[in-house]
DNA sequence: CAGCATTCTTAACATAGGTAAGGATCGGGG
DNA sequence: CCCCGATCCTTACCTATGTTAAGAATGCTG
């Protein structure tokens, strides 16, 4: 079952920002060069000056900042339909890395092409701008998460965010979804050590809230988890009318 | 000495993104309604649906998220020339609050007016988009700061960020600049308690790195402070050619 | 100038989360 | 099919930061 390379992003933008037929047409006819990447491959490096953007067609990727003393902070987790380095269209230098989490299908679109499209189709340009703004909104929530919530709530919040984002693109029907992350990586995302992540995960399992393993998450008791996390999905801005 | 309401933002955008004479002209002739606000006033509320953006003409403001159990996280600190709620142009609902820190001169610009300008002047639209992207870049660094750095480095990093941003708009010549924040507010910004902020500030003072009080900061030993903080200004994207 | 409310400071004590180290499992390559 | 490296899990102990409390500076405001 071969899906169009743009199917997922088209679906996302349609739901989130609204596109007319011509916009969809413009997106679908964009020249994209496909590449397959292995898990834990660099897509874009910190300090680099990209001349193209990377559409995540299939798989999972993360944005990561490294510190001088080896610390590592995951800034966001990306799924199919995302363009994690869209910002490079207007920000010349990368200030972080883009790395795959799983094997991925990537589609590269030249900056020139995108700029051209934006000029021609202001509604699409707006949708892309909006996409980067939603990115920023998720960063804000991430700051709150890391700065204010205790470890349990932090982890719970991450799972719920991923659930709603995957739901939007049709990759989570019930309560289960793929998420190929190690406990170490959860730690890097949440500002915790893998040991502590492990402690908390044990607790949450014991309490019957979730089932997690290296590749997937199953949310067993969403109401209690949402309560624990203080989760409010407004910040995801998934509905353009809301 | 009366300064034009747009002088600071024009200066910033010129340095950061480059504007031609017509762009400047367009900005300067924007209809703006001025309002003065007291310190600690709400400018925009979480959950609100703004129909205008707020240009910070004079003074300091913060963006803040409140948690269900009273926690408070400051997401960013804003200075003259910033439009802290520019994102509301494409994101309908506010997911946080905008609050003044000091008495402020605010300039409100209707969304319709801005959208109109963006359509007419693509370069300006690009500069504004870029401005929101720099915002996002600062959020990323803020995540790293709160997630990875120990308290000392966290505080040091905040001071250095403010220094370079104020320098750009000409409000920090030497090593001293205004920053009207209490230790409590530093805590809310950094995910620390005011008591711990106080402890660290004492240390940094004793070691001759900084002098801080309720309204201003004096960076006494920038090299050592930058070393401590692991500060690298790239993420501020202050130079369009860089 | 008095008086009240912040803010700052210090101290004693408590705990969430980090560090270190080793054993148990698991999955992919030879 | 078995071995090896990577995860995962567990335990014990330690430290940065939070909590509570209370007094000393400030700085408004009347």
């Amino acid at each position: 079952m071969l899906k169009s390379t743009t199917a997922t992003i088209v679906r996302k933008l349609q739901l989130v920002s609204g596109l007319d037929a011509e916009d969809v047409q413009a997106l679908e006819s964009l020249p994209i060069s496909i590449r397959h990447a292995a898990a834990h491959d660099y897509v874009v490096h910190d300090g680099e000056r990209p001349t193209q953007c990377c559409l995540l067609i299939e798989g999972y990727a993360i944005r990561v900042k490294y510190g001088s003393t080896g610390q590592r902070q995951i800034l966001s987790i990306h799924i199919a339909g995302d363009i994690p380095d869209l910002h490079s269209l207007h920000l010349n230098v990368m200030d972080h890395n883009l790395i795959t989490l799983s094997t991925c299908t990537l589609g590269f679109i030249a900056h020139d092409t995108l700029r051209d499209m934006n000029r021609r189709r202001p509604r699409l340009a707006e949708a892309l701008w909006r996409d980067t703004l939603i990115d920023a909104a998720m960063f804000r929530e991430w700051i709150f998460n890391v700065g204010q919530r205790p470890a349990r709530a932090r982890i719970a919040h991450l799972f719920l965010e991923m659930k709603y984002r995957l739901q939007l693109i049709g990759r989570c029907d019930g309560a289960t979804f793929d998420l190929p992350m190690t406990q170490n990586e959860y730690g890097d995302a949440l500002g915790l050590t893998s040991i502590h992540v492990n402690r908390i995960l044990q607790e949450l399992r014991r309490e019957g809230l979730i089932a997690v393993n290296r590749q997937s998450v199953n949310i067993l008791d969403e109401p209690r988890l949402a309560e624990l996390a203080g989760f409010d999905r407004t910040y995801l801005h998934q509905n353009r009318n809301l």
Side-chain angles (χ1 to χ4, degrees), chain A:
Chain A
M1 187 206 65
L2 195 71
K3 282 180 68 175
S4 143
T5 55
T6 49
T8 310
I9 188 170
V10 165
R11 172 180 183 156
K12 184 175 83 165
L13 293 182
Q14 236 161 1
L15 287 169
V16 167
S17 298
L19 299 177
D20 62 30
E22 288 184 72
D23 291 331
V24 173
Q25 169 58 26
L27 272 175
E28 285 175 345
S29 58
L30 228 38
I32 300 182
S33 82
I34 307 288
R35 201 188 99 200
H36 291 272
H40 306 109
D41 245 25
Y42 274 81
V43 182
V44 193
H45 285 261
D46 196 349
E48 206 176 310
R49 300 151 166 286
T51 59
Q52 53 185 9
C53 288
C54 171
L55 168 64
L56 194 40
I57 297 168
E58 198 57 65
Y60 291 77
I62 50 177
R63 299 208 249 173
V64 181
K65 249 183 205 261
Y66 290 96
S68 40
T69 51
Q71 321 105 286
R72 181 180 134 111
Q73 174 72 45
I74 295 178
L75 304 164
S76 56
I77 300 170
H78 291 279
I79 61 179
D82 288 350
I83 307 181
D85 61 349
L86 221 203
H87 63 275
S88 72
L89 195 59
H90 296 299
L91 248 32
N92 301 309
V93 185
M94 286 293 289
D95 54 42
H96 60 274
N97 305 279
L98 178 57
I99 305 179
T100 62
L101 218 43
S102 62
T103 58
C104 285
T105 309
L106 309 173
F108 292 93
I109 313 170
H111 282 174
D112 291 340
T113 309
L114 281 170
R115 275 192 265 267
D116 201 56
M117 183 188 79
N118 286 344
R119 234 170 286 125
R120 270 191 243 282
R121 308 214 54 80
R123 294 238 359 175
L124 251 183
E126 215 176 88
L128 291 185
W129 186 351
R130 188 166 144 87
D131 201 63
T132 63
L133 291 173
I134 293 173
D135 231 63
M138 293 193 295
F139 288 143
R140 267 176 245 134
E141 189 67 34
W142 206 286
I143 291 172
F144 187 93
N145 207 28
V146 173
Q148 299 298 330
R149 285 195 259 262
R152 283 166 60 90
R154 244 184 259 185
I155 296 183
H157 197 278
L158 177 65
F159 289 143
L160 290 169
E161 170 172 325
M162 292 316 295
K163 188 197 159 184
Y164 283 100
R165 288 172 59 202
L166 287 161
Q167 217 160 48
L168 187 80
I169 58 163
R171 315 238 167 168
C172 170
D173 0 333
T176 308
F177 53 88
D178 282 358
L179 193 56
M181 297 200 6
T182 69
Q183 297 186 357
N184 214 314
E185 286 162 339
Y186 283 119
D188 290 341
L190 299 165
L192 301 168
T193 54
S194 62
I195 287 92
H196 202 58
V197 169
N198 185 270
R199 282 198 273 250
I200 304 293
L201 249 26
Q202 304 294 337
E203 286 179 29
L204 297 179
R205 277 199 267 258
R206 220 176 302 126
E207 298 166 28
L209 295 174
I210 48 157
V212 201
N213 63 37
R214 185 208 179 17
Q215 34 247 341
S216 69
V217 177
N218 186 356
I219 294 181
L220 301 172
D221 188 340
E222 182 166 337
R224 277 213 291 149
L225 205 66
E227 154 92 45
L228 202 194
F231 185 76
D232 172 357
R233 58 190 295 201
T234 310
Y235 77 95
L236 290 172
H237 298 278
Q238 290 184 327
N239 184 339
R240 68 180 176 285
N241 305 313
L242 209 120

